[in-house]
């Protein structure tokens, strides 16, 4: 019996409100999750789906561009066997950039392939580390608001905070010290500078972060400053997480050549499963640690990020609790965090609720 083929690719835009805005970097902010549900329908009626997270200030993608690239790629994908991964990836990668559109399409194809075989992604992708430590992205806000949000998510079961910094160094350090004083060693802390430091200011800033008890800092310098980033990493002041500098496998090869980081942050939202797995394995082979980010994904994207987080190459806390920033979600039940951990197998029965999708979809 021949494998079913791709019959349709579609995108359904939706909007979920946040409990409060998420601010990061020098100017960026997010006030709602305006994402796209990507669906791949096969010739036998099987449906695979994933979440695309357009981020204009990071990848240059918008909801309209994601929908446009899905339409563009559908013509080449239609009629291909869902088991023909080489051909499917050739079409998917026939365009450059468009990271979240191509990443979501990759995950939707994986989902459809598993379902066509009578199984799920939990059967095909679940790794050995089924209990994962989630982190929460604590955006830039007035210090009292950041502390209040930290208390809320710690109460909800999260024990690791990724603190956005970079707009005012002294204020950042004050917030970090207040977080450390309130939660003590039970809550892990690290910073995300989003490329806001300079080669001149970074050494002292990293020293201060280390003294404040942070585990590592993500992208302290602009990605374009390759030599400066390599020199800063060589100083060994504080472990560095690579994110904005490692969008693609080719980026990762460059960063490994120049030895610019200690921990690789792979994001299913931009890398999908195919590139995400290969990048984690490539980094691990080079002696680097691994983590998974979710690009402020809602529930469906969190499930997919969590599955990648169970791989043996993932050694660090992963960004799996952005759902706590949502007023509502598309899933049929909430994701539960307990005592600093997420049991990924507990998510097996979660699915997109069609009534909620109808409620929150955009025309």
């Amino acid at each position: 019996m021949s494998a079913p083929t791709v019959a349709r690719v579609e995108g359904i835009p939706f909007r979920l409100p946040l409990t409060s805005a998420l601010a990061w970097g020098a100017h960026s902010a997010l006030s709602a999750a305006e994402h796209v549900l990507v669906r791949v329908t096969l010739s036998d009626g099987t449906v695979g789906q994933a979440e695309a997270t357009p981020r204009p200030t990071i990848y240059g993608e918008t909801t309209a561009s994601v929908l446009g690239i899905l339409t563009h790629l559908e013509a080449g994908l239609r009629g291909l066997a869902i088991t023909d991964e080489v051909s499917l990836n050739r079409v998917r990668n026939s365009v450059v950039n468009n990271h979240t559109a191509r990443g979501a399409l990759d995950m939707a194809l994986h989902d459809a392939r598993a379902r066509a075989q009578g199984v799920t992604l939990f059967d095909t992708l679940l790794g050995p580390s089924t209990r994962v430590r989630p982190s929460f992205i604590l955006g830039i806000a007035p210090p009292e608001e950041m502390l209040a949000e930290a208390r809320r998510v710690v109460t909800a079961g999260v024990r690791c905070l990724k603190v956005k910094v970079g707009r005012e160094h002294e204020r950042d350090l004050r917030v970090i010290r207040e977080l450390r004083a309130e939660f003590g060693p039970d809550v892990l802390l690290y910073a995300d500078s989003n490329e806001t430091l300079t080669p001149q200011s970074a050494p002292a800033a990293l020293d201060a972060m280390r003294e404040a008890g942070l585990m590592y800092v993500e992208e302290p310098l602009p990605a374009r400053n390759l030599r400066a980033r390599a020199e800063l990493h060589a100083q060994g002041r504080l472990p560095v997480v690579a994110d904005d500098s490692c969008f693609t496998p080719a980026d990762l090869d460059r960063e490994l050549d120049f030895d610019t980081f200690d921990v690789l942050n792979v994001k299913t939202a931009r890398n999908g499963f195919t590139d995400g797995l290969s990048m984690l394995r490539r980094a691990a082979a080079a002696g680097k640690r691994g983590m998974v980010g979710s690009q402020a994904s809602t529930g469906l994207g969190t499930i997919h990020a969590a599955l990648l987080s169970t791989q043996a190459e993932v050694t660090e806390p992963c960004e799996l609790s952005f759902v706590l920033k949502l007023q509502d979600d598309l899933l049929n039940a909430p994701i539960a965090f307990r005592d600093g951990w997420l049991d990924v197998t507990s998510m097996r029965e979660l699915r997109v609720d069609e009534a909620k999708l109808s409620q929150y979809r955009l025309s």
Side-chain angles (χ1 to χ4, degrees):
M1 183 176 178
S2 58
T5 60
V6 175
R8 185 182 181 191
V9 176
E10 62 181 320
I12 304 171
F14 65 92
R15 184 183 190 275
L16 293 173
L18 305 185
T19 57
S20 60
L22 173 68
W24 72 93
H27 309 290
S28 298
L30 186 72
S31 58
E34 294 191 1
H35 297 168
V36 178
L37 184 70
V38 177
R39 282 183 168 168
V40 172
T41 303
L42 304 185
S43 56
D44 65 354
T46 299
V47 176
Q49 56 190 4
E51 177 183 9
T53 60
R55 291 291 175 270
T57 63
I58 303 174
Y59 308 122
E61 290 176 282
T62 64
T63 296
S65 75
V66 168
L67 297 174
I69 208 65
L70 293 175
T71 299
H72 174 79
L73 293 175
E74 181 186 33
L77 293 169
R78 198 182 301 120
L80 293 178
I82 191 60
T83 53
D84 187 357
E85 296 183 50
V86 172
S87 296
L88 292 171
N89 283 326
R90 183 182 302 117
V91 174
R92 190 175 59 84
N93 292 322
S94 64
V95 294
V96 298
N97 302 320
N98 294 284
H99 299 296
T100 71
R102 292 190 299 110
L105 181 56
D106 178 69
M107 292 185 287
L109 289 166
H110 270 80
D111 189 29
R113 185 177 306 114
R115 294 182 185 279
Q117 297 168 352
V119 296
T120 72
L121 291 174
F122 283 84
D123 301 302
T124 60
L125 280 175
L126 190 68
S129 305
T130 59
R131 201 162 165 262
V132 178
R133 186 180 292 277
S135 64
F136 181 83
I137 303 170
L138 196 61
I140 297 173
E144 61 274 12
E145 292 181 20
M146 295 179 71
L147 287 167
E149 185 162 54
R151 294 184 192 107
R152 181 175 67 83
V153 299
V154 169
T155 300
V158 175
R159 301 290 184 272
C160 181
L161 301 174
K162 170 178 169 175
V163 186
K164 293 287 190 178
V165 300
R167 295 186 182 179
E168 188 180 336
H169 181 59
E170 289 305 318
R171 188 210 68 103
D172 295 337
L173 289 175
R174 185 170 68 254
V175 170
I176 290 166
R177 292 188 185 107
E178 289 177 0
L179 289 168
R180 175 61 65 216
E182 175 148 352
F183 298 114
D186 293 336
V187 173
L188 304 175
L189 299 175
Y190 64 105
D192 184 0
S193 287
N194 285 114
E195 308 182 58
T196 54
L197 296 177
T198 67
Q200 294 73 33
S201 66
L206 266 60
D207 286 347
M209 291 179 189
R210 184 189 66 249
E211 292 167 7
L214 298 192
M215 296 189 296
Y216 23 69
V217 60
E218 189 171 303
E219 297 295 6
L221 295 176
R224 66 179 180 275
N225 292 355
L226 179 58
R227 293 187 185 280
R229 289 191 293 108
E231 291 170 2
L232 181 65
H233 177 251
Q235 294 170 15
R237 297 174 182 273
L238 185 68
V240 173
V241 178
D243 178 9
D244 301 345
S245 58
C246 278
F247 284 174
T248 68
D251 292 336
L252 174 60
D253 286 343
R254 178 195 64 233
E255 299 303 309
L256 290 174
D257 283 346
F258 281 82
D259 193 20
T260 60
F261 71 95
D262 303 278
V263 182
L264 173 66
N265 187 350
V266 164
K267 294 187 174 178
T268 47
R270 69 167 173 246
N271 300 122
F273 294 131
T274 300
D275 286 351
L277 281 166
S278 68
M279 290 172 73
L280 284 170
R281 290 167 181 166
R282 174 82 174 88
K288 305 298 184 181
R289 292 177 278 166
M291 65 166 53
V292 174
S294 68
Q295 202 66 72
S297 298
T298 68
L300 181 60
T302 300
I303 293 172
H304 291 162
L307 283 168
L308 192 65
S309 300
T310 64
Q311 306 307 308
E313 294 83 4
V314 176
T315 59
E316 309 304 305
C318 297
E319 300 166 16
L320 303 174
S321 62
F322 187 79
V323 289
L324 296 175
K325 189 88 171 169
L326 300 172
Q327 293 185 31
D328 200 1
D329 196 9
L330 298 185
L331 297 181
N332 60 318
I335 296 171
F337 307 94
R338 290 188 173 86
D339 299 322
W341 297 93
L342 172 62
D343 178 0
V344 179
T345 62
S346 70
M347 307 166 77
R348 187 181 285 270
E349 301 304 319
L350 297 179
R351 57 177 175 77
V352 172
D353 185 316
E354 292 299 322
K356 287 191 172 184
L357 177 59
S358 178
Q359 177 184 355
Y360 290 111
R361 72 179 296 166
L362 300 172
S363 57

